Amino acid sequence: MKTKKSLEDQGNDCTHARSRAMAEAVVAAFSGLLKDEAQKHGGFLGLRHLEDMEDVFHVKAEELSIVFEKALQDSHREQEDLKWHAIKRPAFDRLMVKHFENLFFSRGANGLPHGVLSRRVLPGFFLALNMMLGPEAITTYQVRCDEAMERVMNGKVPVDWDLVEKDPDVHAVVLDALYTIAQYFNNPFQRADWFIQIVNSNLAPARAGASDAYWRLDQRSLFKLVSNLLLDLKKAIRNDVAWTHLALRHEGANRDSLKAILRKL
């Protein structure tokens, strides 16, 4: 019977594959240079030829160092991702981050970096979330989502967060939280200044030499975060049935007012 690999095993597999690829890149680069040079001299290379190639080797080494540096940065980001998933956090916290984790720095299939957020944002984000929702509501949401996760997964690991998110109680909890958060952005620029101050004053420590060591949250990246975070709420407002259920849980809920807030964002 096949079992899913642990996060640590997945990380080791990625590291091994990347190390193997880097080693093969070195061999391919320098053996290719030697073959090309040998062909120029009738299949024979002497010490003089190798000395002449020294500058070429230095150039190639510089090119490879750039590739390796990017690979090491990617490896560090992957390790940070694995740490995040390995840490036992309340399900509600994870579900909140799930809404905007696509904005975290990463390297795409084309090799180009993309994203606008560092994971260093998380301590400040959770602090701001606690201040907007209140500790009592946060605790209630965490308990309900943890219970739902246990019910949905029934002991299976790793947790399938897409499946957990589809649970009706989880969906209701998330929408209730997003509804409250949205109210704080009636004046988006004033709230943005507050949010940015909270986050940048509580950034997680950066690893020495990391590419995001000097990263700070700015207005543009914050509005992207908030827009992604509130996406499910936007969908609920456009759906008559979903809005009715939400409005029943929030006395005095004003659909038009909420639409206006979301348009500002």
Side-chain angles (χ1 to χ4, degrees):
M1 180 178 177
K2 293 184 178 179
T3 58
K4 291 187 177 181
K5 291 185 177 180
S6 68
L7 292 172
E8 182 178 0
D9 289 338
Q10 293 176 34
N12 290 336
D13 287 348
C14 289
T15 300
H16 176 74
R18 182 173 283 109
S19 299
R20 180 63 182 269
M22 290 169 69
E24 290 179 351
V26 172
V27 173
F30 288 102
S31 64
L33 287 172
L34 290 171
K35 288 177 182 178
D36 289 343
E37 193 66 17
Q39 289 178 350
K40 294 177 184 177
H41 301 283
F44 173 78
L45 282 179
L47 182 59
R48 178 176 59 81
H49 299 133
L50 293 177
E51 290 174 347
D52 292 340
M53 292 183 66
E54 187 172 355
D55 289 341
V56 180
F57 282 140
H58 281 306
V59 172
K60 181 58 67 175
E62 184 66 26
E63 293 174 354
L64 288 172
S65 70
I66 296 173
V67 174
F68 294 166
E69 181 180 359
K70 291 179 179 178
L72 291 172
Q73 289 175 351
D74 288 346
S75 178
H76 172 68
R77 277 192 289 266
E78 287 170 4
Q79 291 302 317
E80 290 300 313
D81 288 349
L82 290 172
K83 287 179 185 178
W84 159 252
H85 288 290
I87 293 172
K88 185 173 177 57
R89 293 198 63 94
F92 174 75
D93 294 16
R94 290 182 177 276
L95 290 165
M96 287 291 100
V97 175
K98 186 175 182 293
H99 283 77
F100 60 84
E101 65 183 355
N102 61 302
L103 299 177
F104 288 137
F105 295 130
S106 63
R107 198 171 299 281
N110 58 2
L112 297 176
H114 62 87
V116 297
L117 294 178
S118 165
R119 283 192 177 272
R120 297 177 62 210
V121 76
L122 292 178
F125 169 77
F126 287 126
L127 179 57
L129 195 66
N130 192 285
M131 295 172 74
M132 289 187 290
L133 298 179
E136 186 176 339
I138 285 278
T139 300
T140 299
Y141 292 158
Q142 288 175 342
V143 169
R144 287 174 63 185
C145 287
D146 283 346
E147 290 176 347
M149 180 189 70
E150 295 296 335
R151 180 177 65 251
V152 172
M153 296 310 301
N154 194 26
K156 296 177 183 177
V157 292
V159 175
D160 185 338
W161 293 105
D162 289 335
L163 188 61
V164 172
E165 196 172 30
K166 293 176 183 177
D167 178 81
D169 194 44
V170 168
H171 186 64
V173 166
V174 169
L175 284 181
D176 287 346
L178 299 183
Y179 174 85
T180 301
I181 293 169
Q183 310 302 314
Y184 281 89
F185 285 88
N186 188 41
N187 186 331
F189 296 104
Q190 181 179 354
R191 181 56 52 182
D193 290 340
W194 173 85
F195 207 113
I196 291 169
Q197 176 65 28
I198 294 291
V199 169
N200 288 338
S201 298
N202 294 276
L203 290 171
R207 182 177 60 87
S211 58
D212 63 348
Y214 299 102
W215 180 86
R216 293 291 183 273
L217 183 67
D218 58 21
Q219 194 176 90
R220 173 178 170 271
S221 51
L222 170 64
F223 282 134
K224 281 183 173 292
L225 184 161
V226 174
S227 181
N228 278 257
L229 180 64
L230 299 180
L231 187 59
D232 283 355
L233 181 62
K234 295 175 185 176
K235 293 177 181 177
I237 292 174
R238 291 196 297 263
N239 184 290
D240 290 340
V241 175
W243 170 253
T244 299
H245 287 301
L246 180 62
L248 287 173
R249 298 195 301 271
H250 297 275
E251 185 178 353
N254 188 308
R255 195 175 190 178
D256 291 332
S257 176
L258 205 52
K259 284 181 179 180
I261 292 174
L262 295 176
R263 277 197 301 268
K264 295 176 186 178
L265 293 170

